Amino acid sequence: MLGFIVTTADVAPALAQPRDPSQAAAPATSGSRPVASAAHVTEAPVVDGTLDERMWQEAPPLDNFVQAEPFEGQPGSERTVVRILYDDEAIYVGVVCYDRDPSLIVTTDTRRDAGLGQMDSFQMIFDTFRDQQNGFVFGTNAAGAEYDAQVRDQGDQASSWDGSWEVKTSLTETGWSAEFRIPLRTLRYGPAPQTWGLNFFRNIQRTRERTYWAPLPREYNLARLSSAGELRGLSLQTPRNFKVLPYFVTSANRSFTPGAETDLEADAGFDTKFGVTPSLNLDLTYNTDFAQVEVDTQQINLSRFNLRFPEKRPFFLENSGLFTIGKGSELDLFFSRRIGLDENGLLVPIRGGGRLSGKVNGVNVGVLNMQTADSGDRPGNNFSVLRVSRELPSRSGVGGMFVNRTATGNLSSSGDWNRTWGADARLGIGEHFTMSGFGARTQTPGLNGRDYAYNIDSEYDNGQHRAGFEYGLTGEDFNPEVGFLENEDGYRRLFVRFQETMRQEKIRNWGFREWQPHATYTRHNFLDGGLSNAELHVDNHWDWENGNRIDTALNGSWEGFRVPFEIYPGVVVPVGEHGGLRFRMVANTDSRKWASTRLQWDVGRFLTGDQNSPTLQVVLRDSGRLTLDTTWAYRGITLPEGSFHTNLGNTRVTYNFTPSVFVQSLIQYNDRTQRWSTNLRFHWLETAGTGLFVVYNDTESLNGLGPVNRAFIVKYVRQFDILN
C-alpha cells in the first residue's frame, strides 16, 4: 500500500537528548535580530549526517526558533539546533531537528530541487554581501534531497540555480539531522572580514508549522532578508574558481514522413565557469546543448494573446533574476527563450556565448552575449544584454538594462535588428509599503509609433490587510523582440487589489486556520479608448487545519474585439464587447496524504455564450520515491456562432532511486492537435546539473497516421575542477 510516512526501521545512532529548553542560552542579538558566529576549524568534518565529532559539539549552538505558523511569535513546538563551522575551503552547517515522534515525519519527494514546502525540511539563506535583498538558499529534507536556489530583491526563490555542494542526513530516535558542506567556490562574497545576513527555516509538515531562527511574521518567507539575522566574524579565503564542463551527446532521430530515414548524430561541446573575482563569475558555453531538459507542458490557447512557456534550460536559468525587468507573465524586457528557440518552440542551433555576472563595487552587473547559427532560410542572430542595478536602504533599489538583437551571416539584411532600453526602481517605505515601477523603449526599423512602455506599482501588506494599485501603458509599436509581450495591440493597464487575512479565534474554532477574502480587478483599454480585455476575481480561501482547502470565486471576463476572431476552426466571434460572470470553485485535499486531489470548475459566461470547464488533478505518492501526477482539463464552450470542446491531459510519473538518480515520464494528450506525446528521461546526477542523461521522445498522431517523430538521446556531462 502506498504511504507517505518515513519510518525509523533502520536509523543512525541517536543523537544526544535535547537539553531542558529552560536552560537554553539566549541568542546574541543586534537590535532585535539574532547574531551568530562560526567556528574556524583546521580539519574538515566528515559529511555523513551524524554530527558526532567533537568540533560540532564545541561550535556555538543556534536555537530558540520562533513560529510564523500556526501561532506567530510562539516558540517552535520541536527544538531545532544549528551549528556552523568553516575552513579554508568550505562552510559547514550542522542541524539537529528534534521530533517527539519521528514516525510522523513527512517526505513527498527526494529529487534534487524538489520543492520542500510540502514536507519536513530545513533551509538556510546566506546574504553574502549583506545587502538585505539577495541571497543563496540551501536546503534538504529527512531523506537527504538537495535543494538550492537564489533570491533576488527579496523575491521568490529561483531553484533553477545549481551549485556544487553536498548534504547528508540521518534519521534517529529523537528526530533527524543534516550535515551540509558548501564550498567557498560555490558562493560569491566580499573580502575578509565578512559579515553575512543569515536565517534558518524549519518546516514540520504534519502540523504545517513554520519556524525561523530570525523571527518573521507569517506573511513573509525566508527571502525576507531585511529581517534576517547576522553571521559575524568570518575570515574567509578567496579560493580561485575555474571549472570546465565538457559534454558528449549522441542521438537517433526518426521523422515518419514519406522517404525519411533515421538520422544518427554525435556532438560535443563544453561550458566553463571562471571566478574573475570572489564576487564576479564568467560563464562560457560552446556548441550549447539542452537535450536533457523536459519538454514543455502543452497549453490550449482560446484567446487572441500570446502564451508564455517557462524557460527550462540550465544555462539561461542561472542568475536569470538579475536580468528581469517588467510585469512577469504580461511583459518582460528580456525573455531568454527567444535565444535558441523559434516561435514554434523548435530548436535553433546555438554556437556559443558567455555571461559575466556578480558585483563590482556594490553594483550588480550582468552581461550576456549569445550567437545562434543560420537555421533553414533564417539568418543567425547575435544577442546582447547588459544589466546593472544597485540595492539601496529600506528594501529599495534602482537599475537599468539594454537588450540588442542583430541578424548575422550571409542571410541577414541591414535592417534586421531590434533594441530595448529599460530602467526600473523600487522604494520601500516602512515595513509594509512598497512602490516600484519600470520604463522602457524599443527601436525596430519600420516602427515609428509609440514604442515605449511603463508601469507603476504600489502595495501595502501588513499580513492582515493587503491593498495594491497599478497603472501602466504599452505603446502599439513597443516591440521587445528578445522579450515577451502578451498583448501586442497597445493598451493602458489598470490593476487594483484588496485582501484580508482573518485568523480570529472564532474561525479557528470552526476548524479553519484562516479565511482569506480578496478581490482583484485588471482592465486593459485600447490606447484610443474602449475595452480591450478585463478580469474580475472575487474569492474566498477557506484553509482547514487538516490540510484541506476550498476557494469559491465569482469571476468575470470581458473581451473587446475590433475585428472578428476565429477562436476555433469554423467558430468566429463577431466584433463587439463580449463576456460576463462565471462561478469558479477550487478544492484541494490534504497534500500530505499518499493520495490527494485538486478540482477546479468554471461554469458561466464565456464571450458570447457559456462554458462548463472542469479540471481534475490526482496525485499519488509513495514515501518520496514514487509520484504519479495526472491532470485532465476539459473545456466545453457553447456559443451562438458554434459549440466546441477541448481536452488536454498529462500524466507525469517519477521514480527516485536516490536523491540524485531518478527516471521520469511525461505523457501528454491534446485533442486540438490530435496527438499524444511521450517524454521519458533518466538522470544520474553527479553535481550541479552534471552526470548521465538518457532521453526518449515519441510523438504519435491520433488521426490514423501513426507515429510522427521518435528520438533517442544519450548525453554525458562531467565537471572538472581545474584549480582543485
Side-chain angles (χ1 to χ4, degrees):
M1 178 178 175
L2 293 172
F4 72 97
I5 302 298
V6 175
T7 65
T8 55
D10 184 16
V11 299
L15 296 167
Q17 295 295 315
R19 65 180 186 269
D20 184 349
S22 65
Q23 303 300 316
T29 61
S30 175
S32 61
R33 314 311 302 172
V35 174
S37 61
H40 183 266
V41 294
T42 56
E43 180 182 354
V46 177
V47 180
D48 56 12
T50 59
L51 280 75
D52 52 0
E53 292 138 307
R54 180 179 295 275
M55 64 185 72
W56 284 118
Q57 304 307 315
E58 294 177 347
L62 308 174
D63 53 8
N64 296 321
F65 279 52
V66 177
Q67 292 187 43
E69 293 272 10
F71 302 111
E72 183 179 329
Q74 296 298 310
S77 65
E78 303 285 354
R79 188 164 176 240
T80 308
V81 182
V82 183
R83 291 177 168 87
I84 306 174
L85 308 172
Y86 74 96
D87 59 18
D88 293 343
E89 298 294 331
I91 293 276
Y92 305 88
V93 178
V95 56
V96 180
C97 298
Y98 293 101
D99 198 308
R100 295 181 182 86
D101 191 350
S103 67
L104 298 179
I105 291 173
V106 178
T107 299
T108 59
D109 206 339
T110 59
R111 284 178 302 147
R112 179 171 181 133
D113 284 338
L116 300 178
Q118 301 298 315
M119 62 184 101
D120 283 65
S121 58
F122 174 84
Q123 296 180 52
M124 71 191 83
I125 187 166
F126 294 133
D127 177 2
T128 55
F129 291 100
R130 197 59 178 126
D131 58 29
Q132 301 189 18
Q133 299 194 48
N134 306 301
F136 296 93
V137 178
F138 302 91
T140 191
N141 60 8
E146 295 181 3
Y147 175 88
D148 52 16
Q150 287 179 312
V151 167
R152 297 206 66 86
D153 302 332
Q154 295 197 137
D156 295 333
Q157 297 183 18
S159 60
S160 52
W161 175 70
D162 283 326
S164 297
W165 59 283
E166 61 179 312
V167 64
K168 299 295 182 183
T169 59
S170 177
L171 284 164
T172 74
E173 295 176 355
T174 58
W176 62 283
S177 60
E179 196 170 7
F180 296 79
R181 182 184 185 273
I182 304 167
L184 300 181
R185 290 184 177 90
T186 299
L187 303 170
R188 300 174 193 166
Y189 51 89
Q194 297 95 354
T195 295
W196 292 359
L198 174 70
N199 208 351
F200 303 109
F201 163 64
R202 180 182 178 185
N203 188 60
I204 304 175
Q205 186 59 18
R206 66 176 176 275
T207 57
R208 297 165 62 200
E209 178 179 311
R210 298 188 297 123
T211 63
Y212 294 91
W213 172 68
L216 293 176
R218 58 181 170 76
E219 65 266 26
Y220 301 131
N221 56 37
L222 195 63
R224 182 75 173 185
L225 286 165
S226 59
S227 300
E230 290 186 353
L231 176 59
R232 294 181 177 176
L234 294 172
S235 183
L236 302 177
Q237 301 295 315
T238 54
R240 298 178 65 189
N241 182 26
F242 182 30
K243 296 172 183 174
V244 179
L245 295 84
Y247 80 84
F248 176 79
V249 61
T250 181
S251 64
N253 194 322
R254 173 71 185 273
S255 175
F256 288 85
T257 56
E261 298 181 354
T262 301
D263 293 329
L264 300 177
E265 296 182 354
D267 208 348
F270 65 86
D271 294 344
T272 65
K273 295 179 178 292
F274 179 72
V276 180
T277 71
S279 58
L280 192 65
N281 273 15
L282 175 64
D283 296 274
L284 300 174
T285 180
Y286 171 73
N287 203 21
T288 315
D289 177 81
F290 305 105
Q292 73 273 25
V293 176
E294 183 185 61
V295 299
D296 289 324
T297 302
Q298 296 182 28
Q299 305 177 48
I300 295 178
N301 191 2
L302 297 182
S303 76
R304 65 189 193 274
F305 304 122
N306 297 321
L307 290 179
R308 180 183 175 114
F309 290 88
E311 176 64 271
K312 297 182 178 181
R313 298 171 296 173
F315 182 86
F316 293 111
L317 285 170
E318 186 170 346
N319 294 318
S320 58
L322 174 62
F323 295 93
T324 300
I325 294 182
K327 284 302 300 176
S329 60
E330 290 189 33
L331 188 158
D332 248 346
L333 300 192
F334 174 63
F335 184 41
S336 57
R337 277 182 67 104
R338 302 301 187 205
I339 303 174
L341 293 171
D342 66 14
E343 60 270 15
N344 298 314
L346 300 178
L347 294 176
V348 175
I350 298 178
R351 291 178 176 172
R355 177 183 58 237
L356 182 69
S357 59
K359 277 187 182 285
V360 178
N361 295 325
V363 177
N364 301 306
V365 176
V367 181
L368 176 74
N369 185 270
M370 302 293 293
Q371 179 67 49
T372 61
D374 295 346
S375 179
D377 58 354
R378 297 185 179 183
N381 282 278
N382 182 265
F383 300 87
S384 299
V385 186
L386 171 63
R387 170 68 158 146
V388 293
S389 66
R390 187 181 182 97
E391 288 80 22
L392 301 173
S394 188
R395 313 187 322 277
S396 302
V398 63
M401 186 159 68
F402 171 71
V403 185
N404 182 78
R405 178 198 64 80
T406 302
T408 59
N410 295 329
L411 299 176
S412 64
S413 61
S414 60
D416 192 354
W417 55 269
N418 176 264
R419 294 174 186 146
T420 302
W421 288 268
D424 64 329
R426 63 188 179 279
L427 175 65
I429 302 175
E431 285 294 313
H432 307 301
F433 186 74
T434 305
M435 293 189 67
S436 61
F438 77 90
R441 183 185 178 190
T442 62
Q443 273 189 305
T444 309
L447 296 182
N448 301 309
R450 284 169 286 197
D451 56 3
Y452 56 87
Y454 64 84
N455 199 87
I456 300 173
D457 305 358
S458 61
E459 182 175 82
Y460 176 84
D461 185 1
N462 70 354
Q464 180 179 355
H465 314 293
R466 184 181 183 188
F469 174 81
E470 302 178 12
Y471 178 79
L473 181 147
T474 300
E476 72 279 3
D477 282 346
F478 182 71
N479 181 37
E481 290 185 357
V482 196
F484 177 81
L485 188 59
E486 182 183 46
N487 182 351
E488 298 177 347
D489 295 331
Y491 56 86
R492 300 180 189 273
R493 177 181 183 273
L494 175 71
F495 172 82
V496 292
R497 175 210 305 274
F498 181 76
Q499 176 178 303
E500 283 285 309
T501 300
M502 306 177 71
R503 294 193 164 204
Q504 291 88 343
E505 188 65 29
K506 182 178 181 180
I507 292 176
R508 299 187 66 87
N509 290 339
W510 294 344
F512 295 99
R513 172 166 291 195
E514 70 179 22
W515 176 38
Q516 195 177 82
H518 61 277
T520 63
Y521 179 69
T522 308
R523 183 182 178 94
H524 297 82
N525 280 349
F526 290 108
L527 293 174
D528 58 359
L531 173 71
S532 173
N533 64 292
E535 290 285 337
L536 173 68
H537 178 66
V538 181
D539 201 350
N540 290 275
H541 292 174
W542 291 95
D543 186 2
W544 275 270
E545 282 289 355
N546 62 13
N548 298 330
R549 173 170 167 158
I550 188 169
D551 304 343
T552 54
L554 179 66
N555 285 357
S557 298
W558 296 268
E559 300 278 351
F561 295 108
R562 294 189 167 182
V563 296
F565 173 59
E566 187 175 36
I567 190 173
Y568 192 83
V571 181
V572 180
V573 181
V575 171
E577 294 185 4
H578 311 297
L581 299 175
R582 70 183 185 275
F583 172 77
R584 168 177 288 184
M585 186 270 292
V586 181
N588 302 65
T589 64
D590 186 0
S591 62
R592 297 170 294 185
K593 302 296 180 62
W594 68 271
S596 61
T597 61
R598 180 182 187 272
L599 174 65
Q600 175 180 312
W601 207 314
D602 288 84
V603 179
R605 195 70 178 167
F606 181 79
L607 296 179
T608 57
D610 299 291
Q611 69 170 312
N612 186 356
S613 304
T615 299
L616 178 65
Q617 180 183 24
V618 178
V619 180
L620 306 177
R621 293 190 178 97
D622 179 17
S623 191
R625 287 193 176 272
L626 175 66
T627 302
L628 173 64
D629 185 342
T630 299
T631 301
W632 193 274
Y634 171 85
R635 297 198 71 178
I637 309 297
T638 303
L639 307 177
E641 299 78 24
S643 299
F644 62 93
H645 66 267
T646 66
N647 288 278
L648 185 64
N650 64 72
T651 296
R652 182 178 280 102
V653 182
T654 305
Y655 187 82
N656 303 308
F657 299 95
T658 71
S660 58
V661 181
F662 72 90
V663 61
Q664 184 178 81
S665 67
L666 174 61
I667 302 173
Q668 301 187 82
Y669 167 74
N670 186 337
D671 70 353
R672 188 71 179 83
T673 60
Q674 285 293 302
R675 292 180 177 180
W676 66 271
S677 62
T678 301
N679 173 235
L680 180 64
R681 299 180 301 138
F682 171 77
H683 286 198
W684 190 321
L685 301 177
E686 293 179 352
T687 182
T690 65
L692 175 66
F693 307 92
V694 181
V695 181
Y696 173 71
N697 292 318
D698 181 18
T699 301
E700 302 279 340
S701 175
L702 296 179
N703 58 7
L705 298 180
V708 176
N709 181 271
R710 290 173 181 165
F712 183 75
I713 304 165
V714 179
K715 179 179 179 180
Y716 182 68
V717 186
R718 181 68 183 270
Q719 176 177 285
F720 294 94
D721 193 338
I722 304 300
L723 300 179
N724 186 19

